[in-house]
Amino acid sequence: MRRRAVLTTAILAAVATPGTARAADPGPSVTKKSTTQLDAQAVYFVSYDGLVNNNSFQKNGLLTYKGYQYAAWYTATKRAVVARRVLGATSWSTITLSHTLKSDDSHNVISMGVSRTDGRLHLHMDSHSDGFFYVKSVAGLLDNPASTAWTSAVLGAVQTSLDGVALTSQFTYPQFIATPEGELQLSYRVGISGNGRNALAEYDGSTWTALGEWSGSTGTYTSTHGSSTARNMYLHGIDYDVNGRLHAFFTWREQSAAVMCNGGGITNHDTGYVYSTDRGRSWRNDAGTVVGTTGSSNTVAVTVAGLVVDSLDPDHSLMNQESQSTDSTGLPHAIISYVPGRFGQCTTNYVTDRTTNGRAFHVRKNSAGTWQKTEIPIALNSSQRTKLVLDKYDNAYAVLPYGRIAGASKSSGYTDWALLYDGSGLNAFGEVVIDELRVKADNVLSFMYQEKSSGTTPSALHVVDFALPA
């Protein structure tokens, strides 16, 4: 009996060890639970091949916090709206802000953030290489949602600075990230496409501080076709892992078309990776070498060694701003997509070629410290981006354009990618906005999508929920 008890204890211990693949762990699966409607007539226009209510870089257009889910979008009259519901509820309560979308530009998204130190909701919206708009709720709003009326009174005035901190007159791509201590950071780009720099600001629960720029736009990049002397780093995301390390995958976009084989392509090249162990004050390459310091002249530049983890020239229509995540042990994962070489070595129209031959790839660092890449064997049938989610067993899910979901198991080494949901019945336009926080909150994959329309005819905006393995 004693020997049997010892064996049982050993087996249970093995099953309970976090972050390890075990025979008992389920593989990836999705079970559709429900779909709710946010807006029967949300604003609709196609700009830069995307929608302003559903864009890949819209980090936290949908988020979950303390039993409630929050969503933000623009209505048919271009008014900004933020809504909430109890998790699992079928109806949403909305607040219409005193802000109207200033232009038909899909970059001008609404992003949300949570500062856990004071329980505030933050919204950043409506900017593309120009000024921005910012709203900060009353303190404690998100900590006591059931006892706080959801009215315009809980949201502050619309500002054109961060409580007086202006940042830049050329602002794009807001992404809120919560630090392990519960403070809130804002990632953004200064400058324009092909000549911009990434920067950070930080909110400590009372005051915003501009930390400064951390990526550079200068230096010479040379391909087999020609050279470029200006560019910008496009982030696939920026996220803290369970150990407090800040991760960022990226691609470079060159300003000069001389680096391409054909002017109809796109100048994006290479997948790079950096991380920070000091809350974004300094940046290291994969080898651990410091390659940039935020707010200094020593920024992460294209000429710095050790940044590229997957090399690709500008001739394959590599997409920028795809997706990333970290697993239960802190290892980084990303989705990238491009036209593989088997379809030719020179794309001549990046939208057409990506739609016809584009494929998504899962890039990850394994526990041995080696970078691995696996093609997801499902045609994109779209020029648009894919989102990445990891469940509590570290199974990977790729939410492809049109709301299709593919999955791969950790136990297979992520080699068994297969389609789990074909998107039927959604009539989704293309890209979707993932609720990154809900997966951890209640084991549900939740995303916002908008129905296909034409011209500027408004269409319905929804949130769909899928149960992940229990």
Side-chain angles (χ1 to χ4, degrees):
M1 289 297 291
R2 183 177 180 182
R3 180 173 179 272
R4 180 177 297 175
V6 170
L7 286 173
T8 301
T9 301
I11 292 170
L12 289 174
V15 171
T17 303
T20 59
R22 302 169 292 267
D25 283 355
S29 67
V30 292
T31 304
K32 189 176 179 182
K33 297 179 60 178
S34 63
T35 302
T36 59
Q37 182 173 278
L38 290 169
D39 193 334
Q41 291 191 311
V43 69
Y44 185 95
F45 56 84
V46 179
S47 161
Y48 296 92
D49 305 308
L51 303 182
V52 71
N53 284 330
N54 285 91
N55 234 321
S56 176
F57 48 79
Q58 189 180 354
K59 189 176 179 69
N60 297 337
L62 184 69
L63 67 82
T64 292
Y65 189 71
K66 292 193 174 182
Y68 277 69
Q69 190 173 38
Y70 301 82
W73 70 94
Y74 297 103
T75 68
T77 58
K78 301 185 180 180
R79 294 297 294 275
V81 168
V82 60
R84 74 176 185 183
R85 67 166 173 170
V86 176
L87 283 184
T90 57
S91 62
W92 295 76
S93 300
T94 63
I95 297 174
T96 301
L97 303 178
S98 59
H99 180 75
T100 301
L101 179 66
K102 65 190 179 189
S103 62
D104 288 354
D105 188 330
S106 63
H107 290 82
N108 294 29
V109 299
I110 305 174
S111 294
M112 297 184 290
V114 177
S115 52
R116 298 196 305 271
T117 54
D118 58 1
R120 295 182 194 266
L121 177 67
H122 302 252
L123 293 93
H124 199 290
M125 54 192 170
D126 204 0
S127 61
H128 183 198
S129 300
D130 54 11
F132 62 82
F133 300 88
Y134 167 69
V135 172
K136 181 178 71 176
S137 80
V138 298
L141 172 66
L142 302 186
D143 293 331
N144 305 290
S147 59
T148 306
W150 189 245
T151 67
S152 58
V154 302
L155 298 178
V158 177
Q159 307 178 47
T160 55
S161 68
L162 298 180
D163 294 337
V165 180
L167 298 183
T168 175
S169 61
Q170 292 185 311
F171 188 106
T172 318
Y173 305 126
Q175 296 192 53
F176 285 112
I177 40 176
T179 70
E181 297 81 13
E183 296 182 353
L184 186 64
Q185 295 179 321
L186 177 64
S187 168
Y188 59 99
R189 187 187 72 191
V190 178
I192 62 174
S193 176
N195 190 11
R197 290 87 61 202
N198 289 321
L200 287 172
E202 187 172 78
Y203 176 75
D204 63 5
S206 61
T207 304
W208 278 101
T209 302
L211 300 182
E213 299 174 11
W214 63 269
S215 74
S217 59
T218 59
T220 299
Y221 168 79
T222 302
S223 72
T224 57
H225 311 291
S227 297
S228 173
T229 57
R231 71 211 38 89
N232 69 269
M233 176 194 286
Y234 274 114
L235 297 179
H236 287 308
I238 183 165
D239 300 279
Y240 283 98
D241 67 18
V242 294
N243 305 310
R245 177 175 288 190
L246 184 60
H247 302 259
F249 285 90
F250 61 88
T251 60
W252 295 108
R253 176 175 294 178
E254 298 301 320
Q255 187 179 65
S256 174
V259 301
M260 295 188 293
C261 61
N262 185 281
I266 194 167
T267 60
N268 297 340
H269 63 90
D270 296 321
T271 297
Y273 168 78
V274 289
Y275 69 90
S276 174
T277 57
D278 55 6
R279 308 298 185 259
R281 270 65 176 179
S282 64
W283 297 90
R284 299 173 183 268
N285 65 13
D286 186 44
T289 303
V290 174
V291 291
T293 303
T294 301
S296 78
S297 59
N298 178 32
T299 53
V300 182
V302 73
T303 53
V304 172
L307 299 180
V308 176
V309 296
D310 187 71
S311 179
L312 189 70
D313 63 41
D315 296 338
H316 294 274
S317 293
L318 175 68
M319 183 48 67
N320 51 287
Q321 297 168 293
E322 201 97 36
S323 187
Q324 69 171 47
S325 188
T326 58
D327 65 22
S328 63
T329 66
L331 291 171
H333 297 240
I335 296 291
I336 65 173
S337 65
Y338 58 88
V339 177
R342 65 179 181 272
F343 297 111
Q345 298 300 325
C346 179
T347 57
T348 58
N349 183 305
Y350 90 91
V351 171
T352 299
D353 291 341
R354 282 179 57 83
T355 302
T356 304
N357 295 316
R359 297 294 188 273
F361 296 80
H362 177 209
V363 177
R364 69 184 182 96
K365 189 175 185 178
N366 64 25
S367 58
T370 302
W371 289 96
Q372 296 182 306
K373 182 172 73 171
T374 304
E375 180 175 335
I376 300 174
I378 300 166
L380 288 179
N381 298 323
S382 170
S383 66
Q384 296 184 296
R385 303 168 178 93
T386 295
K387 300 295 289 184
L388 175 65
V389 173
L390 299 172
D391 68 19
K392 65 182 181 180
Y393 302 106
D394 287 335
N395 297 313
Y397 301 81
V399 186
L400 298 149
Y402 315 119
R404 297 168 295 161
I405 306 173
S409 65
K410 179 180 180 179
S411 62
S412 73
Y414 304 100
T415 59
D416 58 353
W417 282 98
L419 190 66
L420 304 177
Y421 176 71
D422 65 3
S424 60
L426 298 184
N427 193 33
F429 166 80
E431 292 180 9
V432 303
V433 172
I434 299 289
D435 187 336
E436 299 175 2
L437 300 178
R438 189 168 180 188
V439 175
K440 295 180 176 63
D442 69 349
N443 207 40
V444 170
L445 168 58
S446 187
F447 63 80
M448 181 167 67
Y449 71 93
Q450 190 160 350
E451 291 186 20
K452 296 176 184 176
S453 186
S454 60
T456 57
T457 303
S459 65
L461 186 68
H462 305 276
V463 173
V464 61
D465 300 333
F466 296 86
L468 299 177

